[in-house]
Amino acid sequence: MALTPNTLVLQRDRLRLLLQEPTALYWTNAQLNQYINEAQLNVAVGAVPSRVSGLEFPLLASEAFTASVVDQELYSLPPNFYALRTVRMKQTSTATYQEMPQVDIEYARVHPRTSAPTAEAYFLWGESGTYQLGMYPAFNTATATIWATYWRTPTEMTSDPDVLQLPLELHVANTYLAAHKAWLERSHQLESEAMLNMFIAEYTAYMVFITRTQINSKRAIMVGTIGDTDTERTLY
């Protein structure tokens, strides 16, 4: 037995207990999987009910990098991008990474710059699902490396053994939020409110713990070293 409901099937089993439906009658497994995935997305990016205001922040960190392309201003961010953490660049493979400041997209458009050996700043362009990282100015060489660390969205769980990507302290809270969504869509206000209150209590308690002990910061910092040969985390 797992110490937490850390897989899709364990999340679903616990959710059925909260919904008082041990076997499928009203809710199919596919519907419950959807609520579980929606809840994980909400918790992962910090988009949770406003009554826990002040504790919401993204939880899942990742990184991506690419070589500069001559005169290319915009680089597409990975599909799981949610929000930027830091952007760094180095002019050559042997140079040291330097953190880049952010410039407003309007400033970059009003004050265009010709390409140069190094970019002085970056900007963010686009909308959800199509975000791009802009270099200001664009590089005029192909020897630089751009490296971005960012908060990401979780990967959708589709198979029963798929593992929840949230910190283990929030696995139970995720089931409460999923149950809130399920009861709410069925218009059971009392049950929905009860599950929401349980979620808020669980989430608040453990987010205070995570924040106080800086658990998430340490996990984010230790997401991995800069891997210039890693082809799975790339800007393009």
Side-chain angles (χ1 to χ4, degrees), residues 5-234:
N6 63 338
T7 64
L8 180 59
V9 66
L10 292 178
Q11 283 274 308
R12 195 171 61 240
D13 288 346
R14 197 173 198 284
L15 179 53
R16 285 202 175 279
L17 290 177
L18 296 173
L19 297 175
Q20 304 169 29
E21 188 182 87
T23 57
L25 295 174
Y26 180 84
W27 289 286
T28 65
N29 283 347
Q31 288 175 312
L32 297 188
N33 290 351
Q34 179 179 339
Y35 295 135
I36 292 165
N37 277 298
E38 288 176 356
Q40 179 175 223
L41 175 61
N42 291 151
V43 175
V45 303
V48 295
S50 59
R51 275 184 279 174
V52 294
S53 179
L55 289 172
E56 318 96 311
F57 54 79
L59 293 165
L60 306 179
S62 191
E63 59 183 6
F65 58 89
T66 188
S68 60
V69 178
V70 175
D71 294 333
Q72 179 174 319
E73 181 187 43
L74 298 172
Y75 298 81
S76 295
L77 287 154
N80 65 353
F81 170 81
Y82 178 70
L84 276 173
R85 298 180 66 224
T86 60
V87 178
R88 295 178 171 87
M89 60 76 60
K90 61 180 180 179
Q91 288 182 278
T92 65
S93 60
T94 58
T96 301
Y97 276 102
Q98 297 179 341
E99 188 165 346
M100 303 175 68
Q102 184 175 8
V103 65
D104 189 271
I105 177 63
E106 293 184 6
Y107 181 89
R109 290 293 176 258
V110 173
H111 304 280
R113 297 277 299 278
T114 57
S115 57
T118 182
E120 297 178 3
Y122 75 89
F123 59 88
L124 196 59
W125 173 254
E127 56 189 16
S128 181
T130 59
Y131 282 118
Q132 293 179 299
L133 186 64
M135 294 292 104
Y136 182 75
F139 290 95
N140 64 6
T141 72
T143 60
T145 302
I146 307 163
W147 178 51
T149 61
Y150 64 96
W151 299 111
R152 68 172 179 87
T153 57
T155 303
E156 182 182 6
M157 297 181 293
T158 57
S159 300
D160 284 355
D162 286 351
V163 177
L164 206 69
Q165 294 153 65
L166 299 175
L168 62 87
E169 297 88 352
L170 298 174
H171 289 182
V172 172
N174 199 76
T175 63
Y176 291 143
L177 185 56
H180 161 67
K181 292 173 177 287
W183 282 121
L184 187 63
E185 288 204 351
R186 200 174 173 182
S187 299
H188 284 226
Q189 298 296 332
L190 291 178
E191 291 88 346
S192 173
E193 185 70 16
M195 290 298 103
L196 180 58
N197 288 335
M198 292 178 73
F199 165 75
I200 291 172
E202 186 85 4
Y203 178 87
T204 302
Y206 284 105
M207 285 300 285
V208 168
F209 170 76
I210 289 171
T211 303
R212 186 179 67 247
T213 58
Q214 296 186 320
I215 285 178
N216 187 57
S217 296
K218 294 173 183 176
R219 286 172 179 157
I221 292 170
M222 297 173 64
V223 68
T225 57
I226 302 169
D228 289 336
T229 59
D230 189 337
T231 58
E232 294 183 356
R233 299 193 301 269
T234 58

